[in-house]
Amino acid sequence: MHRLLRSSMLIRMGLLVTAPLLAHDMWIEPMTFSPQTGEIVGVKLRVGQDLLGDPLPRTTSLINQFIVEDSEGRKPLVGRDGSDPAGFLRVAAPGLLVIGYNSNPSSVELTPEKFNQYVKEEGLDTIAALRASRNETGSKAREIFSRCAKSLVLSGPASETAGDHRLGFTLELVAERNPYTLRAGQDLPVRLTYENRPLAGALVVAMNRLNPSEKVTARTDKAGRVRLRLRPGGMWLIKAVHMIPAPAGANAEWASYWASLTFEQSRN
Amino acid sequence: MRHSHIVCGLTLMLCSGVQAHEIGTTRVSVSFQEGRTYDVEIVTDATALAEKLEVSPGSGFDEKFRQRVKIAFDGADVRPQISYSVEPPIDALSAAAATIHLTGQIPEKAQHFTWTFGWTFATYALTAGGATQWLEGGETSTPLALASLAPQPNRMSTAWRYLRLGFTHIVPYGLDHMLFVLGIYLLSRRARSVLLQVSAFTVAHSITLGLSMYGLISVPPRIVEPMIAISIAYVAIENIFSSELRSWRIALVFAFGLLHGMGFAGALKELGLPRSQFVTALLTFNVGVEAGQLAVIATAFLLVGWHCADRNWYRSRVVVPASMVIACTAVYWTIERLSL
């Protein structure tokens, strides 16, 4: 097992050097997932692979929404342009805080090999099939991508009633149970929506900071749901990617949306 | 600083429509010194780097870090020296930054430099000679022409620079050489005496300066420097007892010139010579030294020689006292240099 783990790590590292231009995950990483009431929390944005990530400084021109929602309502995260952590929030009252970052689209151009590999890795089978049917498998791809990242932070005791909820992002993962109330052996139901409707057949991947190479994966059902059996402890990242043909005038063939959801379960 | 870099970069990217991922906080700058050494400075988030290094195979920072960094000259990889430091965050609004320096020699006749950095997932800026390339983690830079980044100084500027260095090595920095030249000047009021001695001295020190710089002869400074002091003392003491230019005086000045030439070579080696313009620098340094000597003689002539060389008290009130001062100073230097 140990050797297997080591070799998978080596492969992972090898991938980083040889295939660095693949699209990367983007997630929200607060400085703490369990702040005290009244505490000011720095919220980092990170981009990377297998939970190894680079900080993204606050880039005003990229932010569509960077917000936190608690029992009192929705507020923007404050921050100075170019700074890391990208935003700050004050915990006004005990309860669950839903942090959201929705970016404006960025564009990227990938070689046919890179694009095909990335489409395969992210489980975007319909896009691979569409490209094949259009005889485009051998052509380079221009893509616009948008980030739809969320994070759940808990101040004080967890409650079943105050859970995750929709922020209205184009692609969005919503935990249908408060993950902080989850006990060992219980599944976390997660719903994926695209333009506020359930998205079926999408690959959802979960990974843990303590062992990122061991992935928990599932495809969404007709109601856009997956049930994930997540080992308690450590920070979890749940992610899903959705791609569509780019709208006319986008100067790209494809448009992708990157949903992520992070939370950190205490070990008890 | 970092802040403005990112903002500038973003504006640039938006304007030029460059295709890229999000811009991170990593930045890399490359500098080349005199076409000989390179220095790549990487400033990146310390925590993120530490996390990536932790799961990397290998042991020790150097070994791990090398694995995802590539520096090449004309396509051939080089192995840089690595040093790093970590600055703690300056306030709650910032993060700890790691600064890594990769340094080494530029291979002979190298023309192009390429750079690959696989320790970031974000887009970063590579700055060299005021120009910026935006790169993805793992992407190889377009080749940078060394000629445009570390321009060779042109021949005229090298010549002028070493001419000045040669001159200032005599006036004002070379008091010992100045006293020696004064000693030569003071011997006799005849122009022929000065001319012959200066010529002998010049020919001699040019020979040993050249031979030393080409590495054909090498005498350690602990021998040369006291000998130079002795040569000054000798010339000054002889002035006190004689005012005739004898042929063996010229021979001795020639021999002393050989010593002073080795002294000039020691100084010139410390200043350093550009490999590409070795001869230019060597010749102009020597010419500068000559100009310095002539300036000393001209000044002495204008101050005392012109007005009083034909007075009958010139020898007793100028030559002898001045030579005694020079001799005392030189004897003191001899003792000082021998004891070092």
Side-chain angles (χ1 to χ4, degrees):
Chain A
M1 179 59 199
H2 182 70
R3 180 177 286 179
L4 199 71
L5 197 73
R6 229 183 117 79
S7 68
S8 80
M9 217 166 249
L10 283 170
I11 291 163
R12 190 145 58 85
M13 287 303 135
L15 258 180
L16 181 61
V17 184
T18 53
L21 288 171
L22 292 187
H24 303 308
D25 297 333
M26 187 257 142
W27 66 94
I28 296 171
E29 207 171 307
M31 306 294 267
T32 170
F33 282 91
S34 48
Q36 306 290 314
T37 303
E39 192 175 340
I40 291 173
V41 181
V43 178
K44 281 173 160 292
L45 304 178
R46 299 187 81 174
V47 63
Q49 224 168 275
D50 290 347
L51 283 175
L52 292 172
D54 289 289
L56 287 184
R58 187 184 185 96
T59 309
T60 308
S61 58
L62 270 184
I63 298 175
N64 182 26
Q65 292 186 78
F66 192 17
I67 48 161
V68 58
E69 215 169 271
D70 58 15
S71 54
E72 294 179 354
R74 183 179 284 209
K75 278 169 280 186
L77 262 70
V78 296
R80 183 163 47 91
D81 196 28
S83 69
D84 165 50
F88 291 86
L89 61 86
R90 184 192 288 274
V91 182
L96 193 78
L97 286 80
V98 183
I99 305 169
Y101 170 83
N102 179 216
S103 78
N104 292 320
S106 301
S107 52
V108 67
E109 189 175 304
L110 295 173
T111 62
E113 300 76 31
K114 294 243 161 75
F115 189 75
N116 295 340
Q117 193 188 340
Y118 140 55
V119 161
K120 193 177 163 196
E121 272 177 20
E122 300 300 339
L124 303 167
D125 303 350
T126 52
I127 299 300
L130 199 55
R131 260 167 72 84
S133 73
R134 290 179 184 174
N135 264 338
E136 282 177 6
T137 308
S139 29
K140 65 173 184 165
R142 289 173 308 164
E143 178 194 342
I144 51 171
F145 65 93
S146 311
R147 307 294 196 178
C148 308
K150 287 171 71 181
S151 186
L152 305 177
V153 166
L154 179 70
S155 176
S159 132
E160 278 288 357
T161 50
D164 186 14
H165 48 263
R166 291 249 300 273
L167 294 176
F169 292 172
T170 311
L171 186 71
E172 185 167 350
L173 285 162
V174 182
E176 293 193 310
R177 259 191 83 176
N178 184 345
Y180 292 102
T181 63
L182 220 57
R183 281 186 291 277
Q186 292 185 324
D187 288 346
L188 178 68
V190 176
R191 196 167 202 193
L192 183 64
T193 58
Y194 172 66
E195 293 188 326
N196 296 321
R197 283 194 295 274
L199 185 67
L203 182 68
V204 176
V205 180
M207 64 190 93
N208 191 286
R209 164 66 42 88
L210 303 174
N211 184 9
S213 57
E214 196 181 292
K215 307 274 196 299
V216 179
T217 61
R219 290 262 178 192
T220 53
D221 63 15
K222 280 188 180 137
R225 281 199 181 86
V226 288
R227 298 184 74 82
L228 301 168
R229 177 70 54 94
L230 305 180
R231 193 173 38 76
M235 189 188 94
W236 281 99
L237 164 65
I238 304 172
K239 55 159 270 197
V241 186
H242 184 52
M243 192 181 282
I244 55 162
N251 201 23
E253 290 86 40
W254 307 101
S256 65
Y257 299 90
W258 294 70
S260 70
L261 180 67
T262 51
F263 52 88
E264 186 176 62
Q265 296 172 310
S266 58
R267 280 153 201 272
N268 49 38
Chain B
M1 190 66 186
R2 173 152 68 184
H3 171 83
S4 66
H5 268 265
I6 291 158
V7 176
C8 287
L10 189 80
T11 317
L12 269 175
M13 290 183 72
L14 293 175
C15 296
S16 59
V18 173
Q19 315 287 304
H21 287 110
E22 290 107 329
I23 300 168
T25 55
T26 300
R27 59 200 155 85
V28 178
S29 53
V30 188
S31 59
F32 302 99
Q33 281 84 37
E34 293 254 338
R36 287 181 187 179
T37 59
Y38 61 87
D39 182 352
V40 181
E41 184 190 75
I42 303 150
V43 180
T44 191
D45 185 82
T47 314
L49 179 62
E51 284 171 4
K52 291 170 205 159
L53 286 166
E54 201 181 321
V55 295
S56 273
S59 63
F61 181 88
D62 277 26
E63 189 191 330
K64 290 183 174 198
F65 193 77
R66 262 179 227 289
Q67 292 170 1
R68 286 196 242 164
V69 173
K70 218 169 104 169
I71 294 175
F73 288 94
D74 300 331
D77 291 1
V78 291
R79 190 181 162 86
Q81 297 287 313
I82 300 181
S83 64
Y84 68 96
S85 61
V86 176
E87 301 123 50
I90 43 170
D91 54 33
L93 300 170
S94 58
T99 304
I100 302 116
H101 278 272
L102 307 177
T103 51
Q105 294 281 323
I106 299 172
E108 292 259 1
K109 294 186 178 135
Q111 300 203 328
H112 291 96
F113 167 91
T114 47
W115 165 253
T116 317
F117 184 64
W119 286 107
T120 180
F121 294 99
T123 299
Y124 72 94
L126 170 69
T127 309
T132 300
Q133 281 186 43
W134 289 91
L135 298 170
E136 306 290 321
E139 183 185 358
T140 300
S141 70
T142 55
L144 300 166
L146 294 178
S148 65
L149 295 168
Q152 297 289 346
N154 68 47
R155 203 166 294 276
M156 276 310 288
S157 72
T158 303
W160 177 235
R161 184 164 160 238
Y162 279 87
L163 192 75
R164 279 183 322 185
L165 284 170
F167 187 89
T168 54
H169 186 64
I170 304 297
V171 187
Y173 301 125
L175 188 60
D176 50 353
H177 302 298
M178 281 162 78
L179 292 188
F180 184 82
V181 173
L182 274 180
I184 284 176
Y185 172 77
L186 288 172
L187 175 71
S188 159
R189 59 193 77 180
R190 289 187 192 166
R192 184 172 162 272
S193 159
V194 177
L195 213 68
L196 281 174
Q197 288 184 92
V198 167
S199 303
F201 183 64
T202 302
V203 170
H205 78 61
S206 300
I207 291 170
T208 44
L209 173 61
L211 292 177
S212 299
M213 291 313 291
Y214 278 103
L216 297 171
I217 54 167
S218 173
V219 182
R222 67 186 160 81
I223 296 170
V224 172
E225 291 301 318
M227 292 290 280
I228 287 175
I230 289 171
S231 73
I232 301 163
Y234 176 85
V235 167
I237 290 165
E238 203 197 0
N239 288 349
I240 298 167
F241 298 104
S242 166
S243 63
E244 291 300 307
L245 178 70
R246 298 190 178 88
S247 56
W248 52 265
R249 163 95 173 193
I250 293 174
L252 263 176
V253 166
F254 183 86
F256 292 153
L258 295 176
L259 283 171
H260 285 247
M262 288 184 255
F264 297 148
L268 189 53
K269 274 178 187 159
E270 276 177 26
L271 293 169
L273 280 178
R275 271 186 306 185
S276 58
Q277 289 164 16
F278 187 88
V279 177
T280 305
L282 178 60
L283 288 177
T284 49
F285 181 81
N286 205 14
V287 171
V289 165
E290 287 319 312
Q293 289 169 15
L294 293 177
V296 171
I297 289 170
T299 309
F301 176 71
L302 287 174
L303 285 179
V304 290
W306 195 12
H307 302 289
C308 22
D310 47 2
R311 306 288 173 88
N312 52 14
W313 48 261
Y314 173 66
R315 216 183 123 68
S316 60
R317 293 198 190 162
V318 177
V319 175
V320 173
S323 296
M324 284 171 87
V325 171
I326 294 171
C328 289
T329 311
V331 168
Y332 171 75
W333 279 339
T334 309
I335 296 162
E336 188 188 51
R337 290 177 181 185
L338 278 172
S339 61
L340 280 179

